[in-house]
């Protein structure tokens, strides 16, 4: 029998291990502004990410949609690295392994069931990821899912928070394709140096820039 950890239990265990941390929720807006400034100066080449940046400027994107776009664009800035099996994921694959945006709840359930079947057939663990239902202008529902469990959560940032805590409390793996993103969030917002990807030169350059910007603001 598989034991189900509630979100509150995950929060409690994480706090026992690492202390209470609200930086992700308190500092995201400031980070997002500086990150997007950095991205525009970096001149990324991925067409879809560039379209999302334009959409962010021109359309009435909701708060969760804005946070989702930042998470997607990160994958174009810090490109995916090879999986354990040697395959190099695409930027699109990395984006979808952070969050899959579905138009309807039925589409979400169908996609999740297919993903779980594929992982079970391949005998691999389904790494935690986010599902959003709706569109960038109006996201109705947000979930964090694993191979067995589903957590419906109130915000995109809370989804990020829960995935990081699942890693450090229940030892779930981050997806290889977007591991640098989770490493960055863990280090920048929680002060935990997740070493497997911490030496990525692009990641270190981004962190240095953000830290220098924070120092200028003080």
């Amino acid at each position: 029998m598989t034991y189900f950890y509630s979100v509150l239990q995950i929060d409690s265990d994480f706090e026992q291990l690492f202390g209470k941390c609200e930086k992700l929720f308190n500092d995201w807006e400031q980070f997002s502004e500086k990150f997007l400034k950095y991205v525009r100066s970096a001149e990324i080449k991925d067409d879809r990410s560039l379209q999302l940046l334009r959409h962010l400027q021109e359309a009435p994107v909701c708060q969760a949609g804005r946070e989702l776009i930042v998470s997607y664009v990160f994958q174009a800035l810090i490109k995916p690295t090879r999986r354990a099996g040697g395959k190099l994921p695409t930027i699109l694959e990395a984006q979808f392994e952070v969050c899959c945006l579905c138009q309807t709840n039925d589409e979400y359930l169908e996609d999740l069931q297919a993903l779980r079947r594929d992982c079970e057939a391949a005998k691999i663990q389904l790494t935690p990821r986010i599902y959003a239902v709706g569109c960038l202008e109006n996201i109705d529902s947000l979930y964090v899912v694993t191979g067995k469990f589903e957590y419906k959560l109130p915000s995109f940032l809370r989804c990020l928070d829960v995935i990081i805590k699942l890693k450090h409390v229940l030892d779930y793996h981050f997806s290889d394709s977007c591991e640098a993103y989770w490493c960055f969030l863990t280090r920048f917002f929680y002060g935990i140096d997740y070493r497997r990807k911490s030496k990525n030169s692009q990641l270190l350059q981004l962190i240095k820039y953000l830290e220098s910007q924070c120092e200028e603001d003080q």
Side-chain angles (χ1 to χ4, degrees):
M1 180 176 179
T2 303
Y3 181 70
F4 178 76
Y5 257 65
S6 72
V7 172
L8 292 180
Q9 286 173 304
I10 294 167
D11 286 338
S12 177
D13 284 1
F14 186 86
E15 188 173 339
Q16 288 291 322
L17 292 169
F18 301 103
K20 190 173 181 65
C21 182
E22 298 292 332
K23 186 177 179 182
L24 177 69
F25 304 97
N26 295 336
D27 294 356
W28 178 272
E29 285 301 317
Q30 183 183 40
F31 150 74
S32 179
E33 180 181 336
K34 297 180 189 308
F35 173 77
L36 290 172
K37 180 180 176 182
Y38 182 85
V39 166
R40 292 184 179 104
S41 68
E43 298 182 350
I44 61 174
K45 306 297 184 185
D46 180 60
D47 288 340
R48 182 169 186 267
S49 298
L50 291 171
Q51 290 173 6
L52 287 169
L53 288 172
R54 285 194 293 271
H55 192 72
L56 185 60
Q57 290 183 308
E58 298 168 1
V61 177
C62 70
Q63 185 63 35
R66 292 176 60 85
E67 293 155 359
L68 174 54
I69 288 174
V70 168
S71 300
Y72 275 176
V73 171
F74 187 98
Q75 312 311 316
L77 178 70
I78 313 293
K79 295 182 178 59
T81 54
R82 293 190 183 277
R83 301 182 194 273
K87 182 191 174 192
L88 182 63
T90 65
I91 292 171
L92 185 63
E93 286 175 314
Q95 290 171 340
F96 283 176
E97 288 185 17
V98 172
C99 178
C100 183
L101 179 61
C102 300
Q103 291 185 338
T104 66
N105 199 63
D106 286 344
E107 181 185 343
Y108 154 61
L109 292 173
E110 183 179 340
D111 192 274
L112 175 58
Q113 289 166 4
L115 181 61
R116 283 173 166 168
R117 284 196 302 268
D118 290 346
C119 288
E120 185 175 355
K123 293 182 169 45
I124 58 175
Q125 183 191 64
L126 172 56
T127 55
R129 63 196 63 196
I130 302 167
Y131 273 91
V133 179
C135 62
L136 291 172
E137 289 74 26
N138 182 27
I139 291 178
D140 296 317
S141 305
L142 289 155
Y143 302 89
V144 165
V145 305
T146 70
K148 299 289 185 183
F149 306 129
E150 171 189 79
Y151 300 97
K152 187 174 184 179
L153 297 165
S155 70
F156 190 84
L157 293 186
R158 183 62 164 133
C159 290
L160 299 179
D161 178 62
V162 167
I163 288 179
I164 289 167
K165 290 174 177 176
L166 283 170
K167 161 63 185 173
H168 293 282
V169 171
L170 297 179
D171 200 28
Y172 277 92
H173 296 302
F174 294 139
S175 172
D176 286 343
S177 66
C178 51
E179 189 176 20
Y181 179 60
W182 297 113
C183 169
F184 166 77
L185 295 179
T186 303
R187 175 171 172 174
F188 190 76
F189 289 107
Y190 295 83
I192 302 169
D193 191 6
Y194 180 54
R195 294 187 177 278
R196 184 172 175 187
K197 297 291 183 182
S198 63
K199 303 305 181 185
N200 181 300
S201 60
Q202 291 178 307
L203 199 61
L204 291 173
Q205 186 176 349
L206 171 62
I207 291 171
K208 183 178 179 181
Y209 169 82
L210 292 170
E211 289 176 344
S212 69
Q213 292 292 300
C214 290
E215 289 174 2
E216 288 179 10
D217 290 343
Q218 292 177 354

